[in-house]
Amino acid sequence: MAKFSGAITALVTPMHEDESVDYEGFRALVKRQLEGGIDGILPLGTTAETPTLTEDEEDEIIKIAFEEVRAFEKATGKKTYIILGAGSNCTRDAVRYCERAKKAGADAALVVTPYYNKPSQEGIFKHFEACSKVGVPIIVYNIQGRTGTNIATETLLKIAGLPNIAGVKEASGNINQMMDVIAIVKKAYPDFSVISGDDGLTLPLIAAGGDGIFSVVSNLTPDLITKLAHAALDGDLKTAQALHYRLLPFFKAAFVDGNPTSIKYALSVKKMMKPCVRLPLVEVKDSAKKVIENALKECNL
């Protein structure tokens, strides 16, 4: 099973004014990521507005992602991870999405803690146990702010002992918990990847022994986020710190009025796509636009 590290972009889903998916815009986005040197892409994550997509739309997004990555790999010889979002608060659906990821040839499936149901720790374990049986590598996604339930480190240790569990996207926002995961889970399973789900914690987590970042900001700056992650992983803290503090204002601005609304507006400022989102999301308010525009200038992006 591959060990995941470096910079992986949690891709947005470009849309038109009528809320239909802009597939050519998505293709262009994937191409920019590959040209920017990104280590991997994550279609169908939270940032992709996946809960509002139909399965037909998801299938087309998967098709485009694989076409572009495989063509790039053939042309350059550079391996790029494709990790497909496979989360649901229904375990049967999550298993089905993991099966879809396996059939497509994905390097891994990203499976979020079941949301809204607020299962017990044992329920969380059973959910991931069911997904692990599919046979595709699983990256656990822990984000209490969206799911309402945190995965306790003891539970994650138990999950890590299951077959096909490759790592965790840690987006709890709690650096102490992240360090506990490294100290306890990664110590027990050295090939278990601990990857940040927060751009602003990329450097701190890697410095503490983590492996990389699932980035939102890299939708705009794949080259800089990749350089930051690789510099930190290589122990070049001077370079990593310089990039971290250059980008810090935008790390904050990229979430100032929600996700992916804020990053989509930033992408629209740079003429990369329209800021359109699908209800219940709406475009960022005017005050947030100013924050995002100022951060882009301050960071020289």
Side-chain angles (χ1 to χ4, degrees), residues 218-251:
S218 57
N219 278 280
L220 182 73
T221 60
D223 54 340
L224 296 180
I225 297 298
T226 303
K227 287 177 183 176
L228 193 167
H230 282 239
L233 287 165
D234 292 341
D236 182 0
L237 291 183
K238 182 177 180 181
T239 298
Q241 286 173 350
L243 286 165
H244 172 82
Y245 285 108
R246 173 186 168 182
L247 294 170
L248 187 58
F250 191 63
F251 288 161

PDB file of all heavy atoms in Angstrom, residues 218-251:
ATOM      1  N   SER A 218      -4.228  25.408  -2.619  1.00  0.00           N
ATOM      2  CA  SER A 218      -3.514  24.975  -3.825  1.00  0.00           C
ATOM      3  C   SER A 218      -4.405  24.935  -5.058  1.00  0.00           C
ATOM      4  O   SER A 218      -3.897  24.792  -6.175  1.00  0.00           O
ATOM      5  CB  SER A 218      -2.856  23.613  -3.602  1.00  0.00           C
ATOM      6  OG  SER A 218      -3.807  22.641  -3.225  1.00  0.00           O
ATOM      7  N   ASN A 219      -5.724  25.073  -4.921  1.00  0.00           N
ATOM      8  CA  ASN A 219      -6.550  25.296  -6.106  1.00  0.00           C
ATOM      9  C   ASN A 219      -6.037  26.513  -6.870  1.00  0.00           C
ATOM     10  O   ASN A 219      -6.086  26.544  -8.097  1.00  0.00           O
ATOM     11  CB  ASN A 219      -8.010  25.527  -5.702  1.00  0.00           C
ATOM     12  CG  ASN A 219      -8.772  24.251  -5.447  1.00  0.00           C
ATOM     13  OD1 ASN A 219      -9.220  23.580  -6.368  1.00  0.00           O
ATOM     14  ND2 ASN A 219      -8.925  23.899  -4.170  1.00  0.00           N
ATOM     15  N   LEU A 220      -5.542  27.495  -6.130  1.00  0.00           N
ATOM     16  CA  LEU A 220      -5.023  28.725  -6.726  1.00  0.00           C
ATOM     17  C   LEU A 220      -3.515  28.659  -6.944  1.00  0.00           C
ATOM     18  O   LEU A 220      -3.020  29.107  -7.982  1.00  0.00           O
ATOM     19  CB  LEU A 220      -5.361  29.918  -5.822  1.00  0.00           C
ATOM     20  CG  LEU A 220      -4.920  31.296  -6.314  1.00  0.00           C
ATOM     21  CD1 LEU A 220      -5.809  31.731  -7.477  1.00  0.00           C
ATOM     22  CD2 LEU A 220      -5.014  32.319  -5.186  1.00  0.00           C
ATOM     23  N   THR A 221      -2.791  28.081  -5.987  1.00  0.00           N
ATOM     24  CA  THR A 221      -1.327  28.123  -6.011  1.00  0.00           C
ATOM     25  C   THR A 221      -0.727  26.729  -5.801  1.00  0.00           C
ATOM     26  O   THR A 221      -0.062  26.485  -4.787  1.00  0.00           O
ATOM     27  CB  THR A 221      -0.791  29.068  -4.924  1.00  0.00           C
ATOM     28  OG1 THR A 221      -1.233  28.586  -3.636  1.00  0.00           O
ATOM     29  CG2 THR A 221      -1.283  30.474  -5.112  1.00  0.00           C
ATOM     30  N   PRO A 222      -0.934  25.799  -6.737  1.00  0.00           N
ATOM     31  CA  PRO A 222      -0.391  24.453  -6.534  1.00  0.00           C
ATOM     32  C   PRO A 222       1.127  24.436  -6.414  1.00  0.00           C
ATOM     33  O   PRO A 222       1.686  23.640  -5.645  1.00  0.00           O
ATOM     34  CB  PRO A 222      -0.861  23.693  -7.780  1.00  0.00           C
ATOM     35  CG  PRO A 222      -1.141  24.734  -8.804  1.00  0.00           C
ATOM     36  CD  PRO A 222      -1.638  25.921  -8.026  1.00  0.00           C
ATOM     37  N   ASP A 223       1.788  25.310  -7.161  1.00  0.00           N
ATOM     38  CA  ASP A 223       3.255  25.330  -7.125  1.00  0.00           C
ATOM     39  C   ASP A 223       3.788  25.744  -5.758  1.00  0.00           C
ATOM     40  O   ASP A 223       4.692  25.104  -5.203  1.00  0.00           O
ATOM     41  CB  ASP A 223       3.795  26.261  -8.214  1.00  0.00           C
ATOM     42  CG  ASP A 223       3.207  27.668  -8.157  1.00  0.00           C
ATOM     43  OD1 ASP A 223       2.135  27.865  -7.544  1.00  0.00           O
ATOM     44  OD2 ASP A 223       3.819  28.589  -8.750  1.00  0.00           O
ATOM     45  N   LEU A 224       3.208  26.793  -5.166  1.00  0.00           N
ATOM     46  CA  LEU A 224       3.711  27.289  -3.884  1.00  0.00           C
ATOM     47  C   LEU A 224       3.398  26.334  -2.738  1.00  0.00           C
ATOM     48  O   LEU A 224       4.238  26.125  -1.850  1.00  0.00           O
ATOM     49  CB  LEU A 224       3.139  28.679  -3.588  1.00  0.00           C
ATOM     50  CG  LEU A 224       3.543  29.788  -4.560  1.00  0.00           C
ATOM     51  CD1 LEU A 224       2.902  31.113  -4.158  1.00  0.00           C
ATOM     52  CD2 LEU A 224       5.060  29.930  -4.624  1.00  0.00           C
ATOM     53  N   ILE A 225       2.209  25.751  -2.743  1.00  0.00           N
ATOM     54  CA  ILE A 225       1.861  24.809  -1.681  1.00  0.00           C
ATOM     55  C   ILE A 225       2.727  23.557  -1.773  1.00  0.00           C
ATOM     56  O   ILE A 225       3.178  23.005  -0.758  1.00  0.00           O
ATOM     57  CB  ILE A 225       0.369  24.443  -1.734  1.00  0.00           C
ATOM     58  CG1 ILE A 225      -0.493  25.679  -1.477  1.00  0.00           C
ATOM     59  CG2 ILE A 225       0.032  23.346  -0.730  1.00  0.00           C
ATOM     60  CD1 ILE A 225      -0.309  26.313  -0.107  1.00  0.00           C
ATOM     61  N   THR A 226       2.998  23.105  -2.991  1.00  0.00           N
ATOM     62  CA  THR A 226       3.874  21.943  -3.174  1.00  0.00           C
ATOM     63  C   THR A 226       5.285  22.262  -2.683  1.00  0.00           C
ATOM     64  O   THR A 226       5.911  21.440  -1.992  1.00  0.00           O
ATOM     65  CB  THR A 226       3.909  21.519  -4.656  1.00  0.00           C
ATOM     66  OG1 THR A 226       2.574  21.244  -5.093  1.00  0.00           O
ATOM     67  CG2 THR A 226       4.764  20.283  -4.848  1.00  0.00           C
ATOM     68  N   LYS A 227       5.784  23.441  -3.016  1.00  0.00           N
ATOM     69  CA  LYS A 227       7.123  23.833  -2.555  1.00  0.00           C
ATOM     70  C   LYS A 227       7.179  23.916  -1.033  1.00  0.00           C
ATOM     71  O   LYS A 227       8.159  23.488  -0.412  1.00  0.00           O
ATOM     72  CB  LYS A 227       7.506  25.184  -3.172  1.00  0.00           C
ATOM     73  CG  LYS A 227       7.837  25.116  -4.650  1.00  0.00           C
ATOM     74  CD  LYS A 227       8.134  26.509  -5.208  1.00  0.00           C
ATOM     75  CE  LYS A 227       8.386  26.463  -6.710  1.00  0.00           C
ATOM     76  NZ  LYS A 227       8.591  27.825  -7.282  1.00  0.00           N
ATOM     77  N   LEU A 228       6.131  24.457  -0.429  1.00  0.00           N
ATOM     78  CA  LEU A 228       6.085  24.564   1.031  1.00  0.00           C
ATOM     79  C   LEU A 228       6.138  23.172   1.668  1.00  0.00           C
ATOM     80  O   LEU A 228       6.954  22.912   2.571  1.00  0.00           O
ATOM     81  CB  LEU A 228       4.810  25.301   1.464  1.00  0.00           C
ATOM     82  CG  LEU A 228       4.686  25.795   2.901  1.00  0.00           C
ATOM     83  CD1 LEU A 228       3.510  26.766   3.030  1.00  0.00           C
ATOM     84  CD2 LEU A 228       4.510  24.677   3.916  1.00  0.00           C
ATOM     85  N   ALA A 229       5.273  22.280   1.190  1.00  0.00           N
ATOM     86  CA  ALA A 229       5.211  20.936   1.775  1.00  0.00           C
ATOM     87  C   ALA A 229       6.528  20.187   1.586  1.00  0.00           C
ATOM     88  O   ALA A 229       7.037  19.562   2.529  1.00  0.00           O
ATOM     89  CB  ALA A 229       4.066  20.151   1.144  1.00  0.00           C
ATOM     90  N   HIS A 230       7.099  20.268   0.401  1.00  0.00           N
ATOM     91  CA  HIS A 230       8.336  19.534   0.138  1.00  0.00           C
ATOM     92  C   HIS A 230       9.515  20.120   0.907  1.00  0.00           C
ATOM     93  O   HIS A 230      10.381  19.367   1.387  1.00  0.00           O
ATOM     94  CB  HIS A 230       8.617  19.510  -1.357  1.00  0.00           C
ATOM     95  CG  HIS A 230       7.781  18.519  -2.094  1.00  0.00           C
ATOM     96  ND1 HIS A 230       8.297  17.482  -2.838  1.00  0.00           N
ATOM     97  CD2 HIS A 230       6.433  18.372  -2.190  1.00  0.00           C
ATOM     98  CE1 HIS A 230       7.326  16.760  -3.355  1.00  0.00           C
ATOM     99  NE2 HIS A 230       6.177  17.295  -2.980  1.00  0.00           N
ATOM    100  N   ALA A 231       9.551  21.437   1.013  1.00  0.00           N
ATOM    101  CA  ALA A 231      10.630  22.044   1.804  1.00  0.00           C
ATOM    102  C   ALA A 231      10.544  21.593   3.258  1.00  0.00           C
ATOM    103  O   ALA A 231      11.559  21.240   3.879  1.00  0.00           O
ATOM    104  CB  ALA A 231      10.558  23.569   1.711  1.00  0.00           C
ATOM    105  N   ALA A 232       9.349  21.585   3.810  1.00  0.00           N
ATOM    106  CA  ALA A 232       9.170  21.146   5.196  1.00  0.00           C
ATOM    107  C   ALA A 232       9.544  19.678   5.353  1.00  0.00           C
ATOM    108  O   ALA A 232      10.226  19.286   6.307  1.00  0.00           O
ATOM    109  CB  ALA A 232       7.731  21.383   5.633  1.00  0.00           C
ATOM    110  N   LEU A 233       9.113  18.842   4.411  1.00  0.00           N
ATOM    111  CA  LEU A 233       9.424  17.413   4.480  1.00  0.00           C
ATOM    112  C   LEU A 233      10.920  17.159   4.339  1.00  0.00           C
ATOM    113  O   LEU A 233      11.451  16.206   4.920  1.00  0.00           O
ATOM    114  CB  LEU A 233       8.666  16.658   3.383  1.00  0.00           C
ATOM    115  CG  LEU A 233       7.156  16.500   3.605  1.00  0.00           C
ATOM    116  CD1 LEU A 233       6.464  16.072   2.314  1.00  0.00           C
ATOM    117  CD2 LEU A 233       6.858  15.501   4.727  1.00  0.00           C
ATOM    118  N   ASP A 234      11.608  18.019   3.578  1.00  0.00           N
ATOM    119  CA  ASP A 234      13.048  17.872   3.380  1.00  0.00           C
ATOM    120  C   ASP A 234      13.869  18.506   4.493  1.00  0.00           C
ATOM    121  O   ASP A 234      15.108  18.469   4.452  1.00  0.00           O
ATOM    122  CB  ASP A 234      13.460  18.491   2.037  1.00  0.00           C
ATOM    123  CG  ASP A 234      12.923  17.706   0.840  1.00  0.00           C
ATOM    124  OD1 ASP A 234      12.553  16.529   1.020  1.00  0.00           O
ATOM    125  OD2 ASP A 234      12.856  18.286  -0.258  1.00  0.00           O
ATOM    126  N   GLY A 235      13.201  19.119   5.459  1.00  0.00           N
ATOM    127  CA  GLY A 235      13.907  19.753   6.567  1.00  0.00           C
ATOM    128  C   GLY A 235      14.439  21.135   6.258  1.00  0.00           C
ATOM    129  O   GLY A 235      15.213  21.699   7.041  1.00  0.00           O
ATOM    130  N   ASP A 236      14.035  21.701   5.135  1.00  0.00           N
ATOM    131  CA  ASP A 236      14.451  23.051   4.758  1.00  0.00           C
ATOM    132  C   ASP A 236      13.469  24.039   5.390  1.00  0.00           C
ATOM    133  O   ASP A 236      12.598  24.599   4.713  1.00  0.00           O
ATOM    134  CB  ASP A 236      14.474  23.178   3.232  1.00  0.00           C
ATOM    135  CG  ASP A 236      14.942  24.544   2.754  1.00  0.00           C
ATOM    136  OD1 ASP A 236      15.259  25.406   3.602  1.00  0.00           O
ATOM    137  OD2 ASP A 236      14.964  24.759   1.516  1.00  0.00           O
ATOM    138  N   LEU A 237      13.611  24.250   6.677  1.00  0.00           N
ATOM    139  CA  LEU A 237      12.645  25.077   7.407  1.00  0.00           C
ATOM    140  C   LEU A 237      12.711  26.544   6.994  1.00  0.00           C
ATOM    141  O   LEU A 237      11.699  27.244   7.053  1.00  0.00           O
ATOM    142  CB  LEU A 237      12.871  24.936   8.911  1.00  0.00           C
ATOM    143  CG  LEU A 237      12.508  23.574   9.514  1.00  0.00           C
ATOM    144  CD1 LEU A 237      12.711  23.591  11.029  1.00  0.00           C
ATOM    145  CD2 LEU A 237      11.069  23.193   9.178  1.00  0.00           C
ATOM    146  N   LYS A 238      13.878  27.026   6.574  1.00  0.00           N
ATOM    147  CA  LYS A 238      13.989  28.424   6.152  1.00  0.00           C
ATOM    148  C   LYS A 238      13.071  28.697   4.966  1.00  0.00           C
ATOM    149  O   LYS A 238      12.307  29.668   4.960  1.00  0.00           O
ATOM    150  CB  LYS A 238      15.438  28.749   5.793  1.00  0.00           C
ATOM    151  CG  LYS A 238      15.636  30.214   5.399  1.00  0.00           C
ATOM    152  CD  LYS A 238      17.111  30.506   5.131  1.00  0.00           C
ATOM    153  CE  LYS A 238      17.302  31.974   4.748  1.00  0.00           C
ATOM    154  NZ  LYS A 238      18.734  32.277   4.464  1.00  0.00           N
ATOM    155  N   THR A 239      13.113  27.815   3.970  1.00  0.00           N
ATOM    156  CA  THR A 239      12.257  27.976   2.801  1.00  0.00           C
ATOM    157  C   THR A 239      10.789  27.766   3.167  1.00  0.00           C
ATOM    158  O   THR A 239       9.912  28.533   2.746  1.00  0.00           O
ATOM    159  CB  THR A 239      12.660  26.977   1.702  1.00  0.00           C
ATOM    160  OG1 THR A 239      14.006  27.256   1.298  1.00  0.00           O
ATOM    161  CG2 THR A 239      11.734  27.078   0.496  1.00  0.00           C
ATOM    162  N   ALA A 240      10.525  26.742   3.961  1.00  0.00           N
ATOM    163  CA  ALA A 240       9.147  26.443   4.345  1.00  0.00           C
ATOM    164  C   ALA A 240       8.539  27.589   5.152  1.00  0.00           C
ATOM    165  O   ALA A 240       7.379  27.960   4.942  1.00  0.00           O
ATOM    166  CB  ALA A 240       9.094  25.149   5.149  1.00  0.00           C
ATOM    167  N   GLN A 241       9.321  28.151   6.064  1.00  0.00           N
ATOM    168  CA  GLN A 241       8.821  29.264   6.874  1.00  0.00           C
ATOM    169  C   GLN A 241       8.549  30.491   6.013  1.00  0.00           C
ATOM    170  O   GLN A 241       7.535  31.183   6.196  1.00  0.00           O
ATOM    171  CB  GLN A 241       9.828  29.607   7.972  1.00  0.00           C
ATOM    172  CG  GLN A 241       9.868  28.593   9.108  1.00  0.00           C
ATOM    173  CD  GLN A 241      10.988  28.869  10.087  1.00  0.00           C
ATOM    174  OE1 GLN A 241      11.866  29.705   9.841  1.00  0.00           O
ATOM    175  NE2 GLN A 241      10.987  28.146  11.191  1.00  0.00           N
ATOM    176  N   ALA A 242       9.427  30.759   5.057  1.00  0.00           N
ATOM    177  CA  ALA A 242       9.232  31.924   4.186  1.00  0.00           C
ATOM    178  C   ALA A 242       7.937  31.787   3.390  1.00  0.00           C
ATOM    179  O   ALA A 242       7.161  32.749   3.277  1.00  0.00           O
ATOM    180  CB  ALA A 242      10.424  32.075   3.248  1.00  0.00           C
ATOM    181  N   LEU A 243       7.677  30.599   2.874  1.00  0.00           N
ATOM    182  CA  LEU A 243       6.447  30.376   2.118  1.00  0.00           C
ATOM    183  C   LEU A 243       5.225  30.413   3.024  1.00  0.00           C
ATOM    184  O   LEU A 243       4.178  30.963   2.667  1.00  0.00           O
ATOM    185  CB  LEU A 243       6.522  29.035   1.388  1.00  0.00           C
ATOM    186  CG  LEU A 243       7.445  29.002   0.170  1.00  0.00           C
ATOM    187  CD1 LEU A 243       7.739  27.567  -0.254  1.00  0.00           C
ATOM    188  CD2 LEU A 243       6.839  29.792  -0.989  1.00  0.00           C
ATOM    189  N   HIS A 244       5.363  29.826   4.204  1.00  0.00           N
ATOM    190  CA  HIS A 244       4.246  29.815   5.160  1.00  0.00           C
ATOM    191  C   HIS A 244       3.810  31.239   5.496  1.00  0.00           C
ATOM    192  O   HIS A 244       2.612  31.561   5.441  1.00  0.00           O
ATOM    193  CB  HIS A 244       4.676  29.080   6.429  1.00  0.00           C
ATOM    194  CG  HIS A 244       3.688  29.160   7.549  1.00  0.00           C
ATOM    195  ND1 HIS A 244       2.594  28.335   7.639  1.00  0.00           N
ATOM    196  CD2 HIS A 244       3.627  29.985   8.640  1.00  0.00           C
ATOM    197  CE1 HIS A 244       1.905  28.625   8.728  1.00  0.00           C
ATOM    198  NE2 HIS A 244       2.508  29.630   9.345  1.00  0.00           N
ATOM    199  N   TYR A 245       4.767  32.089   5.836  1.00  0.00           N
ATOM    200  CA  TYR A 245       4.399  33.446   6.254  1.00  0.00           C
ATOM    201  C   TYR A 245       4.014  34.328   5.072  1.00  0.00           C
ATOM    202  O   TYR A 245       3.203  35.246   5.230  1.00  0.00           O
ATOM    203  CB  TYR A 245       5.524  34.066   7.089  1.00  0.00           C
ATOM    204  CG  TYR A 245       5.559  33.470   8.478  1.00  0.00           C
ATOM    205  CD1 TYR A 245       6.565  32.599   8.860  1.00  0.00           C
ATOM    206  CD2 TYR A 245       4.528  33.736   9.382  1.00  0.00           C
ATOM    207  CE1 TYR A 245       6.568  32.017  10.116  1.00  0.00           C
ATOM    208  CE2 TYR A 245       4.522  33.164  10.652  1.00  0.00           C
ATOM    209  CZ  TYR A 245       5.543  32.314  11.011  1.00  0.00           C
ATOM    210  OH  TYR A 245       5.533  31.739  12.265  1.00  0.00           O
ATOM    211  N   ARG A 246       4.554  34.031   3.894  1.00  0.00           N
ATOM    212  CA  ARG A 246       4.082  34.758   2.706  1.00  0.00           C
ATOM    213  C   ARG A 246       2.609  34.461   2.469  1.00  0.00           C
ATOM    214  O   ARG A 246       1.826  35.362   2.142  1.00  0.00           O
ATOM    215  CB  ARG A 246       4.896  34.343   1.480  1.00  0.00           C
ATOM    216  CG  ARG A 246       4.334  34.946   0.182  1.00  0.00           C
ATOM    217  CD  ARG A 246       5.031  34.443  -1.056  1.00  0.00           C
ATOM    218  NE  ARG A 246       4.283  34.835  -2.257  1.00  0.00           N
ATOM    219  CZ  ARG A 246       4.628  34.497  -3.497  1.00  0.00           C
ATOM    220  NH1 ARG A 246       5.710  33.756  -3.712  1.00  0.00           N
ATOM    221  NH2 ARG A 246       3.882  34.893  -4.517  1.00  0.00           N
ATOM    222  N   LEU A 247       2.213  33.192   2.615  1.00  0.00           N
ATOM    223  CA  LEU A 247       0.857  32.769   2.290  1.00  0.00           C
ATOM    224  C   LEU A 247      -0.121  32.890   3.454  1.00  0.00           C
ATOM    225  O   LEU A 247      -1.331  32.727   3.253  1.00  0.00           O
ATOM    226  CB  LEU A 247       0.880  31.311   1.802  1.00  0.00           C
ATOM    227  CG  LEU A 247       1.599  31.058   0.482  1.00  0.00           C
ATOM    228  CD1 LEU A 247       1.754  29.559   0.240  1.00  0.00           C
ATOM    229  CD2 LEU A 247       0.855  31.708  -0.680  1.00  0.00           C
ATOM    230  N   LEU A 248       0.375  33.176   4.643  1.00  0.00           N
ATOM    231  CA  LEU A 248      -0.489  33.167   5.831  1.00  0.00           C
ATOM    232  C   LEU A 248      -1.725  34.057   5.701  1.00  0.00           C
ATOM    233  O   LEU A 248      -2.831  33.620   6.067  1.00  0.00           O
ATOM    234  CB  LEU A 248       0.326  33.558   7.063  1.00  0.00           C
ATOM    235  CG  LEU A 248      -0.376  33.443   8.418  1.00  0.00           C
ATOM    236  CD1 LEU A 248      -0.880  32.016   8.667  1.00  0.00           C
ATOM    237  CD2 LEU A 248       0.561  33.883   9.541  1.00  0.00           C
ATOM    238  N   PRO A 249      -1.620  35.285   5.185  1.00  0.00           N
ATOM    239  CA  PRO A 249      -2.852  36.081   5.030  1.00  0.00           C
ATOM    240  C   PRO A 249      -3.892  35.410   4.146  1.00  0.00           C
ATOM    241  O   PRO A 249      -5.097  35.501   4.408  1.00  0.00           O
ATOM    242  CB  PRO A 249      -2.338  37.390   4.412  1.00  0.00           C
ATOM    243  CG  PRO A 249      -0.912  37.480   4.825  1.00  0.00           C
ATOM    244  CD  PRO A 249      -0.425  36.066   4.803  1.00  0.00           C
ATOM    245  N   PHE A 250      -3.425  34.698   3.101  1.00  0.00           N
ATOM    246  CA  PHE A 250      -4.393  34.035   2.227  1.00  0.00           C
ATOM    247  C   PHE A 250      -4.910  32.738   2.835  1.00  0.00           C
ATOM    248  O   PHE A 250      -6.038  32.341   2.557  1.00  0.00           O
ATOM    249  CB  PHE A 250      -3.803  33.777   0.837  1.00  0.00           C
ATOM    250  CG  PHE A 250      -4.841  33.337  -0.153  1.00  0.00           C
ATOM    251  CD1 PHE A 250      -5.888  34.186  -0.492  1.00  0.00           C
ATOM    252  CD2 PHE A 250      -4.812  32.075  -0.706  1.00  0.00           C
ATOM    253  CE1 PHE A 250      -6.874  33.787  -1.382  1.00  0.00           C
ATOM    254  CE2 PHE A 250      -5.786  31.664  -1.598  1.00  0.00           C
ATOM    255  CZ  PHE A 250      -6.821  32.523  -1.934  1.00  0.00           C
ATOM    256  N   PHE A 251      -4.105  32.070   3.652  1.00  0.00           N
ATOM    257  CA  PHE A 251      -4.617  30.901   4.378  1.00  0.00           C
ATOM    258  C   PHE A 251      -5.873  31.286   5.159  1.00  0.00           C
ATOM    259  O   PHE A 251      -6.840  30.527   5.228  1.00  0.00           O
ATOM    260  CB  PHE A 251      -3.574  30.360   5.363  1.00  0.00           C
ATOM    261  CG  PHE A 251      -2.410  29.655   4.721  1.00  0.00           C
ATOM    262  CD1 PHE A 251      -1.230  29.468   5.430  1.00  0.00           C
ATOM    263  CD2 PHE A 251      -2.478  29.167   3.433  1.00  0.00           C
ATOM    264  CE1 PHE A 251      -0.157  28.810   4.864  1.00  0.00           C
ATOM    265  CE2 PHE A 251      -1.404  28.505   2.848  1.00  0.00           C
ATOM    266  CZ  PHE A 251      -0.233  28.328   3.570  1.00  0.00           C
TER     267      PHE A 251
END
